[in-house]
Amino acid sequence: MAVLGLGLAALGRPAYLNIGHAADLGSDRSVEALEQHCRAMCDAAWAAGIRWFDAARSYGLAELFLGGWLNDRGITPADVTVSSKWGYTYTAGWRTDAETQEVKDHSAGALARQWPESEALLAPWLRLYQIHSATLDSGVLDDGEVHRALTTLGIPVGLSLSGPQQAETLRRALEVTVDGESLFSAVQATWNLLEPSVGPALAEAKAAGWMVIVKEGLANGRLARPAPALGALGAQPDITALAAALAQPWADVVLSGAATIAHLQSNLAAVEAASGADPDRLAGLAEEPARYWSERAAMPWT
């Protein structure tokens, strides 16, 4: 059975594209207020037994907040797993109304700049470094310079996925080698009851010995609140949806993207519910991937 982790996408910056994000964080979204809130969320997650925390260079100050919390709490590297990502740069300047929140750059130059930043903030806890939202069209899976650089980091490397071609991207990544050895050993993908299309490819990655991490299990909040179209999920849809992800035989970690302690506590109930989950019963909720990703792209940052 997979374990629940905490993703910091909604906690390290003042705007995100989760439904209800603005209301979740409240009116004070200063750096100081969000750092206190992020630390409180990490405390709650730790107290509940969560030991996997996921960040990224583009999550605002998430790496800074997380590293400070780990240090101040005296958490040893042996007791926690931290993953982070490179390839996007946060560009919003702490503004919720910035026209551009983040910029993608999967070049060797971006890796050379961002890896030392992540290492400085999260070493010695960092255990996995991932290409952030790798896609076929970015060229990163064919960039030998990037591949060579990744082998010098001294920790396992992986990739996160996004978009309707997640499966094709993952299958291409499974073929990437350096000196005859597989470059990657982990994948973080969007899988949820509305967009489960990457599932078979994730099973292939698991069979190849990779770690499989699920993100956006609640579809950026679409599966977090009761709605007529989601009646099959019951009164607490987040529990049912996350339990379905946790029950997948290929999943190792399912990330909660909770932005409040109340949401996190509800998400945690999915761990117990997963043992009796029947994801096949909910297969009818799946949407066409192109439609799903089009709707996600149209969501506002709030």
Side-chain angles (χ1 to χ4, degrees):
M1 185 71 68
V3 300
L4 198 68
L6 181 65
L8 304 187
L11 297 171
R13 51 193 169 185
Y16 191 50
L17 68 170
N18 269 357
I19 295 172
H21 181 258
D24 289 342
L25 293 190
S27 59
D28 185 357
R29 283 181 269 178
S30 64
V31 171
E32 295 77 14
L34 283 194
E35 180 170 19
Q36 291 178 8
H37 181 68
C38 183
R39 283 172 170 253
M41 288 291 294
C42 290
D43 280 337
W46 186 265
I50 287 178
R51 296 296 182 266
W52 189 296
F53 296 84
D54 181 75
R57 287 302 304 142
S58 64
Y59 292 175
L61 297 177
E63 289 185 325
L64 176 67
F65 294 168
L66 179 58
W69 173 77
L70 289 164
N71 183 68
D72 290 349
R73 294 294 182 268
I75 296 172
T76 66
D79 292 330
V80 67
T81 300
V82 172
S83 54
S84 195
K85 299 178 284 292
W86 73 276
Y88 276 77
T89 299
Y90 178 68
T91 59
W94 217 254
R95 290 173 49 201
T96 59
D97 61 348
E99 183 176 349
T100 302
Q101 291 282 334
E102 56 188 13
V103 174
K104 180 166 84 170
D105 183 353
H106 284 163
S107 68
L111 174 60
R113 171 173 53 85
Q114 293 193 311
W115 163 249
E117 295 169 340
S118 295
E119 185 180 34
L121 293 169
L122 292 175
W125 304 280
L126 191 58
R127 291 291 177 267
L128 174 66
Y129 207 50
Q130 304 155 96
I131 302 172
H132 196 167
S133 294
T135 55
L136 294 174
D137 60 9
S138 77
V140 71
L141 297 182
D142 299 305
D143 192 328
E145 185 179 0
V146 169
H147 302 170
R148 291 281 178 185
L150 287 170
T151 65
T152 70
L153 301 186
I155 65 171
V157 296
L159 70 165
S160 75
L161 305 173
S162 187
Q165 291 187 299
Q166 287 189 109
E168 294 89 337
T169 304
L170 176 53
R171 290 185 172 115
R172 173 70 187 94
L174 283 163
E175 299 173 349
V176 175
T177 61
V178 175
D179 296 333
E181 299 291 333
S182 179
L183 174 62
F184 304 111
S185 59
V187 59
Q188 184 177 142
T190 293
W191 185 97
N192 57 61
L193 291 170
L194 300 180
E195 190 358 8
S197 64
V198 74
L202 293 176
E204 294 169 26
K206 180 68 174 180
W210 286 29
M211 172 167 285
V212 176
I213 306 161
V214 173
K215 63 184 177 74
E216 299 182 3
L218 296 180
N220 297 91
R222 291 177 61 192
L223 295 172
R225 294 166 172 81
L230 303 176
L233 297 185
Q236 294 178 288
D238 65 311
I239 297 175
T240 306
L242 287 180
L246 288 160
Q248 296 302 315
W250 37 257
D252 293 297
V253 182
V254 175
L255 296 175
S256 164
T260 71
I261 290 176
H263 291 164
L264 177 62
Q265 290 172 338
S266 183
N267 291 176
L268 285 161
V271 176
E272 183 174 350
S275 61
D278 181 12
D280 292 340
R281 178 181 65 85
L282 302 167
L285 294 175
E287 301 176 354
E288 287 295 323
R291 173 189 168 190
Y292 175 89
W293 288 102
S294 176
E295 292 185 5
R296 183 187 183 280
M299 294 176 70
W301 290 70
T302 63

